[in-house]
Amino acid sequence: MPAFKWSKLKKEAVDPEHSTATVSIFRGEKIEVGLVRYPARTEVKPHASPHEQVQSILTGKAKYCVGGKEKVVGPGEAVLIRPNTEHSAQIVEETEVVIFRDARPPASAKQQPATGTAFFKWDELPSDFITPKYSSGRGPTITGERIEVAFMFYPAGTEGKPHSHPNEQIQVALKGRVRGVIGGEAQIIEPGGGVLFPANVEHGIQIVEDYTILNCKDIVPGWSVYHARWEK
């Protein structure tokens, strides 16, 4: 199973030209996730990227500027940075962030920066059940142009039934423990890492302990976090 542990991944520079931060990265074919550590009293210099990204703050505090709008953010908050949008940050306290982004921006992608809300608080967003007929998972979702990220909770003793979808999916475990099965292979998933569910491969989870995750999928028309092809 393509599970990963942050401690087993190589630490590398995020972007030496713009930041002194380090990151541990797990890469899929269509999306990737990084655990980034920003030292206190440092900065992310203004720049833009062709990638879309969602940054969820785990610890610390930082003042972000995205598309000219500024906000101080901390744990429980997230930032959506759309493609080609200038952004920067002043790191007030040592800050740890989970960053999801599209791995390969499409060649046909527009070059002009997109507009829209950049700053979110997870507990202020609508919390919905994700495919309630088949799964107990629920939580709010941030949807961009290319990726969508949900902050989800599953009660112990429940499950996500075996299913597949054309989206690639990465889950980062924050609390709890589950037994995941993908392509017939089983593995325990718990905090300190996460798991990749490849596109169109059957997978499911059994919730051993109350389970809280960050869940990312690449956007495929007609297939959001609320859709799956349920096979069992």
Side-chain angles (χ1 to χ4, degrees):
M1 170 180 281
F4 62 90
K5 290 284 188 182
W6 296 120
S7 61
K8 301 295 185 181
L9 299 176
K10 179 183 177 181
K11 289 184 181 179
E12 54 190 89
V14 173
D15 183 351
E17 183 178 352
H18 301 111
S19 172
T20 60
T22 59
V23 61
S24 302
I25 302 178
F26 184 84
R27 295 179 172 91
E29 293 185 3
K30 298 192 286 184
I31 54 177
E32 56 191 32
V33 63
L35 181 65
V36 182
R37 303 161 187 89
Y38 293 103
R41 297 180 297 279
T42 61
E43 67 174 341
V44 179
K45 295 179 181 179
H47 67 289
S49 166
H51 300 272
E52 180 168 74
Q53 54 184 298
V54 173
Q55 303 192 10
S56 186
I57 316 301
L58 299 183
T59 63
K61 184 167 65 174
K63 184 171 76 171
Y64 278 68
C65 181
V66 180
K69 298 179 181 179
E70 292 186 347
K71 190 176 189 300
V72 175
V73 298
E77 297 184 76
V79 183
L80 169 59
I81 302 173
R82 294 173 170 82
N84 304 306
T85 299
E86 185 175 84
H87 57 281
S88 63
Q90 299 292 324
I91 311 304
V92 180
E93 302 172 357
E94 185 176 49
T95 300
E96 193 170 61
V97 182
V98 172
I99 298 180
F100 295 98
R101 74 174 193 175
D102 59 321
R104 295 191 302 273
S108 60
K110 59 184 180 182
Q111 299 302 308
Q112 294 300 315
T115 58
T117 302
F119 302 106
F120 302 85
K121 290 186 176 181
W122 288 118
D123 63 4
E124 292 181 357
L125 294 172
S127 181
D128 301 321
F129 281 103
I130 308 298
T131 53
K133 185 176 179 181
Y134 304 98
S135 168
S136 60
R138 69 173 299 160
T141 301
I142 296 171
T143 302
E145 297 179 0
R146 303 175 191 165
I147 62 173
E148 57 184 354
V149 177
F151 186 90
M152 295 176 62
F153 172 77
Y154 294 82
T158 63
E159 67 174 341
K161 293 184 178 182
H163 64 286
S164 66
H165 41 68
N167 321 72
E168 188 170 66
Q169 179 179 5
I170 294 178
Q171 292 186 352
V172 172
L174 301 178
K175 296 180 182 178
R177 192 160 58 104
V178 302
R179 178 180 180 271
V181 179
I182 178 170
E185 182 181 349
Q187 188 166 333
I188 294 295
I189 306 160
E190 55 193 354
V195 64
L196 167 71
F197 299 120
N200 299 310
V201 175
E202 184 180 87
H203 57 279
I205 56 174
Q206 297 172 342
I207 316 303
V208 180
E209 300 172 357
D210 286 352
Y211 188 50
T212 302
I213 60 167
L214 290 165
N215 182 84
C216 179
K217 289 182 178 180
D218 67 296
I219 290 178
V220 176
W223 295 84
S224 76
V225 293
Y226 303 101
H227 302 118
R229 182 184 304 114
W230 300 98
E231 299 174 341
K232 292 185 180 178

